[in-house]
Amino acid sequence: MSLPEGVAIDGGGVAAACCAHLLGQAGVATRWRMRERRGVPAIMLSDPARALLRDALARPDLFAENRRIARRIVAWGGQEPVALPHDAVMLGAGDLDFAPEQLPGHAEAPGPAARLIIRTDIAAEEPMHRFGDRQGEAARVQWLRPGEADACFVESVDDGWLFLIPSTAETGWLLAIGAPCDVLLGQSRHVRARIAPPDTAPARFDTTPRLLDRMATTGMIACGSAAMAFDPICGDGTALAVRQAILASAIACALSERGFDGGDEEEMTAHYRAMMVAAMRRHLRLSSEFYATGGTGPWWRAQQRAIEDGFAALSAVLERTPPPRFALDGFRLIRRELAA
């Protein structure tokens, strides 16, 4: 049975754009109600994440002209800086707030008859699992060492960590995670020497890893950074949004082909929830390595405890979850027995 009402996308951002494009390419009737979202002032997008985004949007030239970051200089746990090779591009505010061309029903409000809603717009009061409490600040700064403008710089200090990203040869963005920016700069030996002090008040934002309580139910799949967010220490947030969009779109396509059979939908949304829990668990395991070695003060110990507690809680959830019954074959969702 073919359902003309198809799928509604409610929200904006990378996940919404990827869903709209993938569903359109698959011929699924899609209506997209775009909503403005608060973007970040700057982001560093790794080459693997950029490749994933280019594939999902069929845009092989995406961000090909953006400024490249070739090195990552890390001063962690009180050690002297170590330079490592890095492959990434710099994005500015709004670079990720795009809409693919030729979208059906562009900016049209989703009607009540839509059988599945993919949500990237999540209200702040909706229940969320949080794994710690890591507040951040972002400030535009003057870069004092133009010869290092091809490198980002990461430094851990007593009450948090600093991330310095060049946007031009003269300017960059400073992210401060933990205590306020001026406090962390006062504790810094390496980042502070590379910039002039910020001359404007920094913008505050939440960097705590978090997961929406209801990631998927009958008739709804949530994706994007408002529904699930990683700590920026791992630099995988954009790739997460794209991977969510690929899976959500594959589920929507499979359900559309099957006529939105209730049994199929329950199985597939359960699969989506399990994949998101597993992704967050992997992220906590990875970020635990950074927080275990970044510092020994109260802030570091509190974040490490939160990570350990969250990892244990998610592990318990996965132990009660049946093995995955589906797998992705490119952008298609298939049953695992067919993938063997």
Side-chain angles (χ1 to χ4, degrees), residues 9 58 84 334:
I9 301 170
L84 304 168
I334 60 175

Side-chain angles (χ1 to χ4, degrees), residues 100-319:
E101 297 178 355
Q102 299 177 340
L103 290 176
H106 175 71
E108 180 185 349
R115 293 297 300 269
L116 180 69
I117 298 177
I118 297 176
R119 300 175 59 210
T120 65
D121 184 61
I122 309 298
E125 63 272 13
E126 294 195 35
M128 190 83 65
H129 300 287
R130 297 172 59 84
F131 306 96
D133 184 14
R134 291 164 227 163
Q135 299 304 307
E137 293 185 344
R140 192 173 182 87
V141 295
Q142 293 295 313
W143 192 263
L144 298 182
R145 301 188 183 184
E148 293 183 346
D150 68 332
C152 61
F153 204 108
V154 186
E155 181 183 11
S156 67
V157 295
D158 290 346
D159 295 320
W161 56 279
L162 295 159
F163 188 24
L164 181 59
I165 319 171
S167 50
T168 70
E170 296 81 26
T171 62
W173 284 95
L174 176 66
L175 307 183
I177 314 301
C181 183
D182 57 345
V183 173
L184 298 188
L185 277 178
Q187 299 172 353
S188 168
R189 289 190 297 148
H190 304 291
V191 167
R192 181 175 57 181
R194 287 167 165 78
I195 60 172
D199 56 7
T200 58
R204 290 190 60 79
F205 60 103
D206 188 2
T207 68
T208 307
R210 51 200 183 273
L211 177 67
L212 189 67
D213 183 56
R214 295 172 68 247
M215 287 295 295
T217 60
T218 301
M220 186 279 293
I221 296 176
C223 59
S225 59
M228 181 175 175
F230 282 173
D231 188 309
I233 204 165
C234 296
D236 200 29
T238 301
L240 168 67
V242 178
R243 289 192 292 266
Q244 288 179 321
I246 291 171
L247 181 53
S249 300
I251 290 173
C253 290
L255 291 175
S256 181
E257 291 171 2
R258 291 165 171 77
F260 287 83
D261 174 81
D264 282 341
E265 185 169 4
E266 183 176 347
E267 277 192 310
M268 291 180 190
T269 53
H271 175 75
Y272 184 86
R273 292 194 301 270
M275 293 300 98
M276 295 307 103
V277 170
M280 180 59 76
R281 183 177 178 271
R282 286 193 299 270
H283 171 71
L284 294 181
R285 180 174 56 198
L286 178 59
S287 60
S288 176
E289 300 173 9
F290 294 102
Y291 282 93
T293 58
T296 59
W299 185 83
W300 290 98
R301 292 198 301 270
Q303 302 315 310
Q304 182 64 11
R305 285 194 300 270
I307 291 172
E308 292 171 353
D309 292 345
F311 184 87
L314 296 180
S315 296
V317 171
L318 291 175
E319 287 174 1

